[in-house]
Amino acid sequence: MSKLQPARGTRDIYGDEALGMNAVVDTFRRVAGSYGFEDLATPIFEFTEVFKRPLGEASDVVSKEMYTFEDRGGEEVTLRPEFTAGVCRAFISNGMQQNLPCRLMSHGPVFRYERPQKGRYRQFHQINAEMIGPETAEFDVDMVAMAWRLLCELGMRDKVVLHLNTLGDVESRAAYRDALVAYFSAHKDKLSEDSVRRLDTNPLRILDSKDEGDKVLVADAPLMSEHLNKESRAFFDLVKAGLEAAGVPFEHDERLVRGLDYYTHTAFEFITTELGAQGTVLAGGRYDGLIEKLGGSKVAGVGWAGGIERLAMLTTIVPEVARPLFMLPMGEAATLKAFALAEDLRAEGYTVIADRSGNLKKRLTRASKANARFAVILGDNELEAGMVMVKDLDRGTQDQVTFDALTAAVVE
RNA sequence: GCGGGUGUAGCUCAGUUGGUUAGAGCGCCAGUUUGUGGUACUGGAAGUCGCCGGUUCGAUCCCGGUCACUCGCCCCA
């Protein structure tokens, strides 16, 4: 066995898994395209500031999960740990605010230094959609509806549940945060160690603690919905009404939160029970403060990201692979003629695999394994007669046809 | 970063209560068929039992470390 192995948390992707992941990306691009989204490919690495500033120095992602290094020119750069910050940077860099709202879709690898588990890697892949500009709730509905449509097309309608919540606007959120801190501080002695720490760093996170003792306290904790101001309540009501109108089923989950401060209003996660602790398959929300934090103007945004590996593990769609045609020339002259015939067939849209090594038996075996429908046998006998032998591997029949008739003879 | 489990052929896994040549199925290669596949039969190749060290007359097996995977926590897609 080879000692060469990929670095921890990275993998080689091929075969069925590659097909599945491509199917997820293809479906995503088609669905998002149908909502008017356009492609944006941002760099895989950015200046570290791009991620550090919006995510916050104290956040886990920045403080211990980023792949940050100094390049040969002395610049501090970071492999992207997520898409949103880079997309917003691109939005600012390219003056996209001239044409709002911007609908931008991206996909590709992202990097986080974490302890790997199934469905959780250091280099993993995301699909990402951002809508930048809109301040009203109808756009949140569009984004969630688009995610739901994608998941349905991937055959996951019955495998995921949409958890939906609101974080309110800045004012409501701050009020709620204060209420939570007051409540949990009064019961600090009963909180888990993790949650005592969260009381300082990220009190909202206590709400989704998995500690049994915490859960008892959380059950009686104040609710976000009780601390929403009028505007925030109206915003959330509109999101819910819109989703109902669009036919998107959801659960209002008061415990669903976001850690970072620039998140406002809508937060949502599509969760499955089929992947253990890695149950979140697609998640997003509104980030009205992010662009400004990055140095842009005050522009709102709403977006989501999905984990391609996790989605590929759950999708039921079977990618269609074109059945190849095997070209089996025997002898030098036949090999040369086969080049021409193969090019003709490819020009007609066929997938042609030229198999020139080994005896005919071996080559037919390979053709069968490759799920080929036809094998085109071209030896000296055929060449002299100006013909090729076309073997139908499904039926086991074969016929000689002229070179010109080949294309017509291999129609399935 | 913290705690638990696992690591034997390309793949899925048996097995050795520490002992001489480590097994199966699938896959691969070859033959029965020197120009005809998928089935069948016959034969074959392939493993420093993850890596390093310790204990022992002797370690794939016991112990320690390490690497990787895996389950949970943290965090998150």
Side-chain angles (χ1 to χ4, degrees):
Chain A
M1 187 204 274
S2 170
K3 288 181 184 172
L4 286 176
Q5 44 185 219
R8 188 174 204 197
T10 68
R11 318 164 303 130
D12 303 307
I13 300 160
Y14 58 95
D16 287 345
E17 190 177 17
L19 287 176
M21 288 175 64
N22 285 342
V24 169
V25 172
D26 291 346
T27 307
F28 164 66
R29 296 193 64 246
R30 181 168 50 72
V31 169
S34 77
Y35 283 75
F37 280 69
E38 297 175 16
D39 285 304
L40 169 66
T42 63
I44 280 179
F45 64 90
E46 300 264 2
F47 291 126
T48 298
E49 270 306 297
V50 171
F51 302 114
K52 204 185 251 182
R53 208 185 304 170
L55 296 173
E57 196 97 34
S59 70
D60 270 44
V61 170
V62 170
S63 62
K64 53 187 205 192
E65 293 178 2
M66 293 204 312
Y67 279 89
T68 296
F69 58 97
E70 194 175 285
D71 70 14
R72 290 169 188 278
E75 299 285 3
E76 201 181 79
V77 296
T78 293
L79 264 35
R80 65 183 174 206
E82 56 133 32
F83 272 91
T84 305
V87 169
C88 289
R89 191 234 84 223
F91 170 85
I92 298 167
S93 302
N94 297 289
M96 294 184 188
Q97 69 273 11
Q98 297 300 317
N99 189 19
L100 299 180
C102 275
R103 296 177 175 85
L104 302 168
M105 59 173 156
S106 311
H107 65 92
V110 292
F111 304 84
R112 284 180 207 168
Y113 187 87
E114 297 183 279
R115 183 135 173 192
Q117 286 179 32
K118 192 183 187 66
R120 170 172 169 167
Y121 309 98
R122 289 182 173 182
Q123 173 177 341
F124 62 105
H125 299 78
Q126 288 189 333
I127 49 176
N128 188 80
E130 309 287 352
M131 179 136 46
I132 303 178
E135 293 178 2
T136 57
E138 298 88 332
F139 294 93
D140 302 46
V141 174
D142 276 345
M143 289 303 286
V144 177
M146 181 168 95
W148 175 243
R149 174 162 299 282
L150 170 64
L151 295 172
C152 288
E153 297 220 4
L154 289 172
M156 293 166 54
R157 180 186 289 269
D158 300 321
K159 295 182 177 180
V160 295
V161 174
L162 168 56
H163 292 241
L164 178 76
N165 197 17
T166 179
L167 302 167
D169 58 15
V170 174
E171 180 187 278
S172 301
R173 187 195 166 106
Y176 181 51
R177 184 186 163 112
D178 290 346
L180 270 188
V181 171
Y183 171 80
F184 284 119
S185 294
H187 299 86
K188 202 169 178 177
D189 52 319
K190 293 182 211 145
L191 276 178
S192 68
E193 204 178 308
D194 278 330
S195 288
V196 170
R197 178 176 51 75
R198 282 186 277 230
L199 203 48
D200 288 327
T201 60
N202 203 345
L204 296 193
R205 276 278 168 216
I206 300 175
L207 292 176
D208 61 5
S209 170
K210 281 158 190 156
D211 181 87
E212 290 305 322
D214 288 351
K215 283 183 182 173
V216 174
L217 286 177
V218 167
D220 292 323
L223 296 174
M224 179 79 234
S225 53
E226 294 163 352
H227 291 77
L228 293 176
N229 59 23
K230 201 173 161 192
E231 294 75 25
S232 298
R233 188 178 304 280
F235 193 101
F236 191 45
D237 286 343
L238 190 46
V239 171
K240 288 188 287 186
L243 288 175
E244 274 162 25
V248 179
F250 64 88
E251 280 179 15
H252 179 193
D253 179 356
E254 294 256 14
R255 315 249 180 282
L256 179 65
V257 294
R258 283 289 114 94
L260 305 170
D261 284 344
Y262 58 76
Y263 283 113
T264 53
H265 294 294
T266 313
F268 63 92
E269 292 186 16
F270 286 89
I271 300 175
T272 177
T273 55
E274 295 183 24
L275 293 179
Q278 281 68 244
T280 299
V281 122
L282 187 155
R286 175 167 279 272
Y287 49 87
D288 286 352
L290 178 56
I291 306 255
E292 206 175 1
K293 195 149 194 162
L294 264 174
S297 47
K298 194 173 182 339
V299 184
V302 52
W304 52 254
I308 297 177
E309 283 87 350
R310 294 182 187 177
L311 291 167
M313 281 190 272
L314 294 173
T315 183
T316 57
I317 62 174
V318 182
E320 277 186 35
V321 181
R323 299 182 69 180
L325 182 153
F326 265 56
M327 179 69 67
L328 311 179
M330 301 164 56
E332 223 170 276
T335 299
L336 290 177
K337 180 63 185 173
F339 281 123
L341 293 174
E343 289 304 328
D344 288 346
L345 286 163
R346 293 188 184 113
E348 294 291 323
Y350 289 92
T351 298
V352 181
I353 295 175
D355 189 337
R356 309 185 186 94
S357 61
N359 57 31
L360 187 57
K361 176 190 163 93
K362 184 183 256 181
R363 292 196 258 177
L364 282 168
T365 302
R366 281 197 286 259
S368 290
K369 285 196 175 127
N371 192 33
R373 172 67 191 272
F374 295 103
V376 177
I377 301 165
L378 180 57
D380 291 338
N381 304 346
E382 288 80 10
L383 204 56
E384 275 172 35
M387 312 272 278
V388 290
M389 183 70 83
V390 175
K391 185 174 176 81
D392 182 328
L393 293 168
D394 284 2
R395 296 192 182 138
T397 59
Q398 60 183 31
D399 285 302
Q400 280 206 354
V401 302
T402 62
F403 293 148
D404 291 341
L406 175 55
T407 306
V410 294
V411 174
E412 290 189 26

